[in-house]
């Protein structure tokens, strides 16, 4: 059994931990799949590259509303995939090569065998073991698969596999209604697939602000066959022909099934109790605000531990943990207030802070300002009839939350993220700056003024 000064398990945001501050240390990196983690390989970046491609196709398909007649002659799926992964795969390969040149790299599955002791089942079939003075857990999460699918024996895809399939299906069934389901339905629907979405909740994006969920679901119904309030009782079929049997007696027939029904932290695969690492009831590793677990010398970050499974949160936590490892006498705390997020579907969504329903549930006095894209000049240019900006304020004008649905939502929300981070009131945010006319940002200005 070898010994290292530092072990980093997981190479998504975990791969950003070790820099010049750790020069001279004996470091081992362990990765179960591909270097770069979820975001680079099967998450944020490839999905957004594909989502934009689908948006281009949708723009062509709907161009006639602007007086431009256009058509799509073909969708070259293999060329699309090659463009995405031809750029991304080398990044992960370069990361692995760099770490191999400057330390030890194991490709395989790591689990605890004792305090700060691990064994790795290597991808090539071998096994190795090590101890370390300090260990960072950054192994992320994986797609959850409901029992009716997992036990059916019928082939299915998740976000881990769907973006590398050989050809586009004619019919795609999507099980789930969260942001992953929404984005991938947009990708494959935009590229010409017939999409059916099955979601147990009454709306898609059910955990988001109620106005967002309602309007997003209505928009999805115009593009796809959306079955909300329905669960899958069993799955039958085989390759190329899958049937979902729903609880209302109806069936969904598809060429492929995409399961996008949530994610599970990977800690349950690491024998955490053997290492003295405690977890929450939902499987997340317990950490304090500095990133320390319940085991001495063991730290955690990202989706394995955070209540905010987002790449920008994992990156922030990685910066905090790296600092704390390098400066144990000057610990920093992770700041998770406020945490913004976005959904890159059609329509796009941006959000930060509390939802309207959370304010009610918490008994918070609040005021809502809601302005439609259709009521600003650039909204006219876009012929946008669904989009809106919703701002929620406290009686003193401070921002409690903000939600944008429509084109450029992920960018527009950043103005409100900044205002919340700086503690600005709605009135101050609206009054302190010029708002370019007729830019789409005027919808944010007007929502701020509507909330006063």
């Amino acid at each position: 059994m070898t010994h290292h000064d530092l072990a980093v398990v997981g190479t998504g945001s975990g791969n950003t931990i070790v820099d010049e501050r750790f020069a001279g240390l004996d470091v081992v990196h362990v990765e179960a799949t591909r270097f770069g983690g979820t975001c680079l390989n099967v998450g944020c970046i490839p999905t957004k590259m594909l989502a934009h491609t689908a948006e281009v196709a949708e723009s062509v398909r709907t161009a006639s509303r602007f007086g431009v007649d256009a058509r799509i002659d073909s969708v070259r799926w293999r060329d699309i995939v090659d463009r995405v992964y031809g750029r991304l795969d080398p990044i992960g390969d370069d990361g692995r090569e760099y770490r191999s040149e400057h330390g030890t790299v194991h490709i395989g599955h790591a689990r605890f065998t004792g305090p700060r002791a691990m064994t790795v089942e290597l991808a090539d079939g071998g096994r190795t073991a090590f101890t370390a003075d300090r260990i960072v857990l950054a192994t992320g999460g994986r797609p959850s698969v409901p029992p009716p699918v997992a036990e059916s024996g019928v082939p299915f895809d998740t976000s881990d596999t769907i973006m590398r399939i050989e050809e586009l299906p004619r019919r795609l069934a999507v099980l789930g209604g969260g942001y992953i389901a929404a984005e991938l339905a947009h990708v494959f629907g935009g590229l010409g697939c017939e999409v059916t979405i099955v979601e147990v909740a009454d709306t898609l994006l059910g955990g988001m602000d109620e106005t967002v969920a309602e309007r997003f679901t209505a928009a999805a119904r115009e593009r796809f066959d959306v079955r909300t309030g329905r669960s899958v009782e069993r799955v039958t079929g085989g390759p190329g022909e899958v049937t979902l049997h729903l609880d209302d007696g109806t069936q969904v027939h598809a060429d492929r099934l995409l399961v996008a029904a949530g994610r599970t932290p990977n800690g349950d695969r690491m024998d955490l109790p053997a290492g003295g690492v405690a977890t929450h009831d939902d499987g997340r590793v317990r950490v304090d605000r500095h990133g320390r677990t319940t085991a001495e010398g063991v730290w955690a970050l990202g989706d394995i531990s955070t209540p905010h499974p987002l790449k920008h949160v994992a990156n922030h936590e990685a910066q905090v943990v790296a600092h704390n490892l390098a400066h144990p006498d000057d610990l920093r705390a992770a700041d998770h207030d406020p945490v913004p997020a976005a959904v890159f579907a059609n329509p796009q969504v941006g959000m930060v802070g509390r939802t309207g329903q959370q304010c009610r549930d918490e008994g918070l006095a609040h005021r809502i300002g809601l302005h439609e894209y259709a009521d600003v000049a650039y909204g006219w240019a876009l012929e946008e009839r669904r989009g809106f900006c919703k701002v929620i304020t406290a009686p003193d004008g401070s921002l409690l939350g903000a939600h944008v649905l429509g084109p450029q939502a992920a960018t527009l929300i950043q103005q409100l993220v900044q205002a919340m981070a700086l503690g600005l009131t709605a009135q101050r945010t609206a009054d302190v700056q010029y708002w370019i006319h007729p830019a789409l940002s005027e919808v944010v200005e007007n929502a701020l003024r509507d909330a006063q």
Side-chain angles (χ1 to χ4, degrees), residues 54 58 61 184-195 223-224:
E58 281 289 290
R61 196 174 287 116
L184 290 173
H186 163 60
V187 166
F188 287 95
L191 297 178
C193 303
E194 298 175 13
V195 175
R223 299 180 65 195
F224 314 128

Side-chain angles (χ1 to χ4, degrees), residues 208-404:
M208 299 181 187
D209 183 84
E210 56 201 345
T211 313
V212 168
E214 290 166 3
R215 294 206 192 182
F216 187 92
T217 304
R221 291 191 192 281
E222 295 181 9
R223 299 180 65 195
F224 314 128
D225 178 4
V226 177
R227 315 281 186 95
T228 53
R230 298 273 69 89
S231 61
V232 175
E233 293 191 333
R234 61 191 180 97
V235 182
T236 59
E241 183 61 49
V242 178
T243 300
L244 306 184
H245 302 263
L246 307 187
D247 60 347
D248 63 351
T250 62
Q251 298 178 354
V252 173
H253 302 282
D255 305 320
R256 297 190 83 109
L257 168 62
L258 168 62
V259 178
R263 293 181 65 82
T264 300
N266 280 328
D268 61 346
R269 295 179 169 180
M270 300 186 70
D271 288 346
L272 295 174
V277 178
T279 61
H280 295 278
D281 291 341
D282 61 3
R284 288 180 297 114
V285 169
R286 289 184 178 272
V287 294
D288 65 11
R289 60 198 191 103
H290 305 296
R292 296 175 297 193
T293 73
T294 55
E296 182 179 356
V298 181
W299 306 68
L301 62 93
D303 292 5
I304 194 174
S305 57
T306 186
H308 307 282
L310 300 163
K311 177 61 173 176
H312 43 281
V313 172
N315 284 346
H316 170 71
E317 293 175 350
Q319 292 172 4
V320 169
V321 169
H323 171 87
N324 292 341
L325 288 169
H327 305 282
D329 297 325
D330 179 30
L331 297 182
R332 292 179 181 172
D335 182 5
H336 291 145
D337 185 29
V339 175
V343 181
F344 291 82
N346 184 6
Q348 200 175 100
V349 178
M351 71 211 80
V352 64
R354 290 179 174 86
T355 64
Q357 57 267 36
Q358 284 175 331
C359 289
R360 292 197 305 273
D361 292 343
E362 295 175 27
L364 294 177
H366 63 283
R367 182 179 175 88
I368 291 175
L370 192 149
H371 208 83
E372 307 283 346
Y373 277 47
D375 292 333
V376 298
Y378 206 81
W380 306 346
L382 296 173
E383 293 292 340
E384 177 56 45
R385 55 188 176 83
R386 300 189 196 92
F388 68 91
C389 177
K390 180 177 182 178
V391 174
I392 306 172
T393 62
D396 64 359
S398 59
L399 295 169
L400 298 174
H403 309 272
V404 184

Side-chain angles (χ1 to χ4, degrees), residues 26-45:
D26 180 351
V27 180
V28 58
H29 284 81
V30 183
E31 173 54 54
T33 55
R34 287 187 59 86
F35 255 68
T38 297
C39 176
L40 180 69
N41 295 298
V42 295
C44 320
I45 299 176

